[in-house]
Amino acid sequence: MAAAPHSLTPDRHRPDRRSTVSSRQPRGKAIPLRSESGSSSRTRSRSSQQRDFQAQTPAWLRSLVTLQRTSNLVCFFLIASTLGVYAWTVYTQQMWSQEYRKLENLQRNERQMTAANEALKNQLAQEAERPGTGLVAPNPANTIFLPPAPQRQSRPKPVAAPNSETSPTTPLGY
């Protein structure tokens, strides 16, 4: 990445460069800093380093960094949702094709059963037309009328007396 452009402000308005943190040093480690006199050194925590970095960076650069982080998150969620929608689409297409194959098999079986049923009906009709089977064509003279059966009285079912030996002593349920 390119280095940040130098500020156009004079040196007297710039903060002391000796207290800035180098971007090449690993994060999370304490960095010794020299005081103005240069005789003593002390360590600074990460939060104070971040405050110094935020104080030294211009607002437009901080907003660009925030915009980049936000766009990275949005991009990540868009990619994840795209992959999710793609996986769902592939899954539903596979399920649809499986169910469509089942439907085609059922339709083929239905056609085969209909054809077999019609062939069986045709075979029975041809056998009925043969003279040696003993079947007679229906006509009103050959019709047999049966008298209706007499009405039967319904018998009441006997109610069995509960036997104390067979009844459970514990409740069946709550």
Side-chain angles (χ1 to χ4, degrees):
M1 193 167 216
H6 292 288
S7 174
L8 299 175
T9 59
D11 286 340
R12 60 188 163 106
H13 294 293
R14 289 188 189 171
D16 186 16
R17 286 204 176 260
R18 288 179 284 179
S19 64
T20 60
V21 177
S22 172
S23 63
R24 294 184 183 181
Q25 295 189 6
R27 290 186 177 184
K29 292 187 177 181
I31 302 169
L33 296 175
R34 294 184 186 178
S35 65
E36 289 295 318
S37 63
S39 60
S40 67
S41 63
R42 60 185 171 115
T43 60
R44 291 168 56 169
S45 68
R46 187 172 184 188
S47 63
S48 65
Q49 291 172 0
Q50 287 177 347
R51 276 187 265 127
D52 287 344
F53 176 73
Q54 288 177 352
Q56 292 172 358
T57 56
W60 63 269
L61 184 59
R62 284 184 294 209
S63 64
L64 284 178
V65 169
T66 304
L67 179 66
Q68 179 190 12
R69 289 180 182 164
T70 305
S71 65
N72 285 343
L73 284 174
V74 168
C75 183
F76 172 75
F77 287 120
L78 285 175
I79 290 172
S81 62
T82 302
L83 289 175
V85 167
Y86 175 74
W88 177 73
T89 303
V90 168
Y91 175 74
T92 54
Q93 285 178 350
Q94 287 177 350
M95 294 302 295
W96 186 86
S97 64
Q98 286 176 357
E99 295 300 321
Y100 188 73
R101 270 188 248 119
K102 287 181 185 177
L103 176 66
E104 286 177 334
N105 286 337
L106 288 172
Q107 288 175 342
R108 184 176 59 243
N109 290 342
E110 181 184 20
R111 287 190 301 269
Q112 289 173 351
M113 290 177 75
T114 303
N117 190 20
E118 292 301 320
L120 194 60
K121 283 182 185 178
N122 187 26
Q123 181 183 0
L124 288 174
Q126 287 176 357
E127 287 179 7
E129 290 176 355
R130 290 187 201 158
T133 58
L135 295 176
V136 180
N139 62 19
N142 296 338
T143 307
I144 301 173
F145 292 102
L146 297 175
Q151 290 285 345
R152 296 184 196 173
Q153 295 292 332
S154 62
R155 298 181 208 162
K157 294 183 180 180
V159 178
N163 192 354
S164 62
E165 295 174 5
T166 60
S167 65
T169 58
T170 58
L172 295 176
Y174 294 103

